[in-house]
Amino acid sequence: MKVLVTGGAGFIGSNLIHLMLAEAPDLEITNLDKLTYAGNLENLADVADSSRYRFVQADVADANAVDRILADGFDAVLHLAAETHVDRSLEDAAPFLRTNVLGTQVLLEAVRRHGVKRMVHISTDEVYGSAPPDASFDESAALLPSSPYSASKAAADLLVFSYVHTFGLPVVILRCTNNYGPYQFPEKLIPLMIANALEDRPLPVYGDGLQARDWIHVEDYSRAILAALRAGRAGEIYNVSAGRPRTNLEVIRTLLALLGKPESLITFVQDRPGHDRRYALDSSKFRDELGWAARRSFEEGLAATVEWNRANAAWLERCRSGAYRDYYQRHYVDRGKTLASWQG
Ligand code: NAD
Ligand code: TYD
């Protein structure tokens, strides 16, 4: 099966590609990524020469480029490419609308034109907005996004529905909770706190730190995406979660204990405007239909993530300094592997 992954140089995408190359020998993967600040090809350096993998740099909102790539013939598209950081969307929402909304529409149109038989659209639990205490949202909950990021993801979901409804496009939508694990860019809570703590810098906790997120290890989610690719029903939405919500303070205290660093590093800072208090999903539909279950406990997954960041201190440092960005230049541009040449 020829599979196009968009956003494969990011956190979830690179973990997913590793998993597919390791465990799904029937899949041939093309990674379409614009390489924004969040795209890091070093994440895939160990598989860059695999005969089942290739990379093409393109903007998912560039209709000509996407059309050209899709003309190569794909059996399936896994759409992960997005602007993903809520704080950035508060500073400048424009790239979120361009990539998340327009980019999704461009991709849907290309999938339609080229008759791709399957697409998995990667949405987020944030489209439902903040969950009331003790309640969890199932797939029928209203869309009530609160940040420009989540609003752009909700808009993308609505576009997907319109293509499913009007053109019968075979798209499965996944809405997942917060992921953590290897290769997560150190702007998101867990890798940022690990990186700061390793350098004995303050850990900035927004507001009272009692906001709750239902963390899932990225390897568990990557398996969920693979399950959806193989057996998800077209036109269906599936929530995906591990069912273990934790407050930010609980997470940070656990990290500090794992790192052997003092709680005095915790520094309360001004809250994020419009900060969602709690995300919680009912994911029984996905678990029952697809037979999927999270394998990793939060404690084990968090300990492994701390170890991974320790063992990959150079990777973390290159993310922090921006040095990771010259990898693409050296390994792709200097070797003539650009969009113009990718089809050989
Ligand atoms: P990420 O920010 O780590 O990576 C995003 C990737 O998309 C990067 O490689 C970036 O270069 C690429 N990209 C951005 N704009 C692009 C464009 N215009 N064209 C092509 N590529 C572009 O994100 P992530 O955390 O891996 O998230 C992947 C997907 O999963 C996103 O759709 C996100 O909304 C969704 N999601 C993430 C989480 C999470 O906790 N990380 C939770 C639920 C859903
Ligand atoms: P984040 O990783 O940005 O994911 P999201 O906003 O998509 O859930 O943040 C996770 C939680 O951690 C969220 O409640 C905001 C909080 N947070 C902090 O308290 N301090 C920080 O420096 C960051 C980045 C996040």
Side-chain angles (χ1 to χ4, degrees), residues 20 29 37 45 85 156 159 192-194 242 259 276 296 343:
M20 293 198 295
I29 301 146
Y37 79 92
H85 193 36
L159 278 166
L192 176 70
M193 297 297 158
I194 295 173
L259 288 158
D276 282 336
R296 290 207 168 201
Q343 281 162 321

Side-chain angles (χ1 to χ4, degrees), residues 84-87 124-126 149 178-179 184 187-193 203-207 209 211-213 215 248 252 269 271-272 275-277 279:
T84 62
H85 193 36
V86 172
D87 293 331
T124 166
D125 62 345
E126 302 195 25
Y149 162 64
N178 289 59
N179 279 232
Q184 188 166 31
E187 64 178 353
K188 304 280 167 66
L189 179 78
I190 289 177
L192 176 70
M193 297 297 158
L203 310 189
V205 178
Y206 298 163
Q211 305 83 5
R213 300 290 184 265
W215 297 95
N248 293 339
I252 291 165
V269 299
D271 207 354
R272 169 189 282 173
H275 199 168
D276 282 336
R277 194 73 180 158
Y279 294 140

Side-chain angles (χ1 to χ4, degrees), residues 1 74-77 111 114-119 168-171 229 234:
M1 200 191 318
F74 286 94
D75 302 297
V77 171
V111 162
H114 293 284
V116 179
K117 295 281 181 298
R118 194 151 193 78
M119 173 168 166
L169 235 63
V171 192
L229 169 68

